Amino acid sequence: QITLKESGPTLVKPTQTLTLTCTFSGFALSTHGVAVAWIRQPPGKALEWLALIYWDDDKRYSPSLKSRLSITKDTAKDQVVLTVTNVDPADTATYYCAHSAPGYNNHAVYWGQGTLVTVSS
Amino acid sequence: QSVLTQPPSASGTPGQRVSISCSGSNSNIGSNLVYWYQQLPGMAPQLLIYKNTQRPSGVPDRFSGSKSGTSASLAISGLRSEDEADYYCATWDDGLRSVVFGGGTKLTVL
């Protein structure tokens, strides 16, 4: 059974760096073709794809946020970490991590429950 | 502004058939597979349709997907009250080299 869970701060001040951790089970990020993605959703708004890391450590980022995002993995801990630098109130959102299986073209198959992050002074 | 265009809302009565459109371009829908997600109120999204037309196990066959050119469509037949949710289309964009989502469609069952 594949599960993912996001963790991190619920409140961050503007200009700070946000660090979120996705802890997963039921799959190995070292398996060929597997990837983990981060997707966010501002309150009442649409989903926004942020970043993805592959089993071989290749990475993809949203072009509009690329300069502020970093995604890394710790295969031994079954974790993926997303950092967002210089946050702004517009970064207030529920952040989801998701598993992408081989053959699913980088798309999310299993999702975590999400974690709400508020950016406010 | 989303790369993929969906109607913001759709509605139907129980038992009806409703369709939700998703419009893109040659760099996304026109050359890649389309995925659909259902997001029930207060919940995380769930995969509903993958690779244009395929349903994950557990998804009723009342849900179907199709694609033609640079547009895709999700159809729900035999509408039920529990289908009331937000629906999102998604695909890969070759130019952006990222996954792109539609703006979402809120389905109301009257």
Side-chain angles (χ1 to χ4, degrees):
Chain A
Q1 180 191 4
I2 290 176
T3 64
L4 305 99
K5 187 170 185 179
E6 307 85 353
S7 60
T10 58
L11 181 64
V12 183
K13 290 181 173 17
T15 75
Q16 288 186 335
T17 294
L18 168 65
T19 300
L20 295 169
T21 300
C22 174
T23 303
F24 55 84
S25 63
F27 68 95
L29 194 41
S30 56
T31 301
H32 182 93
V34 173
V36 171
W38 283 94
I39 299 150
R40 72 180 181 182
Q41 184 174 36
K45 295 189 177 181
L47 299 169
E48 180 182 22
W49 189 87
L50 299 177
L52 177 142
I53 188 164
Y54 295 95
W55 84 101
D56 62 357
D57 210 38
D58 194 11
K59 301 162 187 177
R60 296 286 184 269
Y61 294 100
S62 165
S64 62
L65 292 165
K66 185 175 183 177
S67 64
R68 299 173 49 217
L69 298 177
S70 175
I71 189 169
T72 59
K73 64 181 175 71
D74 186 331
T75 305
K77 291 184 178 179
D78 285 342
Q79 291 181 332
V80 170
V81 174
L82 178 76
T83 60
V84 185
T85 61
N86 192 26
V87 297
D88 175 87
D91 296 310
T92 294
T94 296
Y95 286 75
Y96 297 99
C97 66
H99 159 271
S100 179
Y104 280 78
N105 317 107
N106 309 313
H107 289 273
V109 179
Y110 296 96
W111 296 62
Q113 63 190 26
T115 185
L116 177 60
V117 178
T118 301
V119 179
S120 175
S121 55
Chain B
Q1 202 77 315
S2 301
V3 173
L4 305 179
T5 301
Q6 297 180 237
S9 63
S11 63
T13 56
Q16 265 191 334
R17 183 179 189 274
V18 296
S19 184
I20 297 171
S21 63
C22 176
S23 178
S25 66
N26 288 328
S27 67
N28 43 64
I29 292 180
S31 50
N32 291 287
L33 299 166
V34 177
Y35 290 66
W36 289 90
Y37 296 91
Q38 178 192 57
Q39 186 175 31
L40 296 168
M43 303 292 286
Q46 290 183 291
L47 182 62
L48 189 65
I49 297 288
Y50 66 99
K51 295 183 181 181
N52 300 337
T53 62
Q54 304 302 302
R55 286 185 309 275
S57 60
V59 173
D61 59 6
R62 302 185 296 105
F63 294 90
S64 62
S66 64
K67 176 187 139 175
S68 178
T70 59
S71 293
S73 188
L74 172 70
I76 309 171
S77 60
L79 199 61
R80 303 176 68 159
S81 58
E82 56 259 41
D83 298 334
E84 193 160 280
D86 293 326
Y87 293 86
Y88 293 92
C89 58
T91 191
W92 183 260
D93 190 290
D94 292 335
L96 297 174
R97 296 188 70 194
S98 69
V99 171
V100 290
F101 284 99
T105 298
K106 184 176 185 61
L107 175 63
T108 301
V109 181
L110 302 169

